[in-house]
Amino acid sequence: GYEVAGIKSSPSKVAVSGPKGLLDSLEFIGTEALNIEGQQANMEGLVDAEVDSSQGFQLSRDKSVKVWVQVKKVKLDN
């Protein structure tokens, strides 16, 4: 089988604006999903960062994030 050995993104940080009280407790934001099902080799993809606009959050700059997924082969114990 195969498993994810590591994930890197560029940029590693994005600028977010919103209400100060909510920004203080915001530790990370999500991205749209990247399908890695059945992936047997390293891959890269471009995904959009996502913030909850209903809470007043906005992305201040580019919202696209390049993601690299490192895949390694593992021995399955049957």
Side-chain angles (χ1 to χ4, degrees):
Y2 295 85
E3 70 179 21
V4 173
I7 298 175
K8 288 193 292 188
S9 66
S10 178
S12 59
K13 295 180 179 179
V14 294
V16 178
S17 61
K20 182 172 179 2
L22 293 175
L23 282 174
D24 287 345
S25 62
L26 186 67
E27 294 182 25
F28 61 89
I29 64 170
T31 66
E32 64 185 357
L34 179 64
N35 185 359
I36 59 170
E37 186 176 346
Q39 194 66 30
Q40 298 180 3
N42 296 345
M43 66 173 291
E44 63 181 54
L46 199 60
V47 293
D48 285 343
E50 296 177 334
V51 293
D52 188 349
S53 57
S54 70
Q55 292 189 354
F57 291 125
Q58 292 186 156
L59 290 163
S60 302
R61 295 192 200 108
D62 291 343
K63 64 178 187 169
S64 292
V65 178
K66 193 167 196 173
V67 178
W68 291 270
V69 180
Q70 185 179 3
V71 176
K72 71 175 181 181
K73 191 170 187 171
V74 292
K75 202 177 274 189
L76 296 177
D77 295 327
N78 291 343

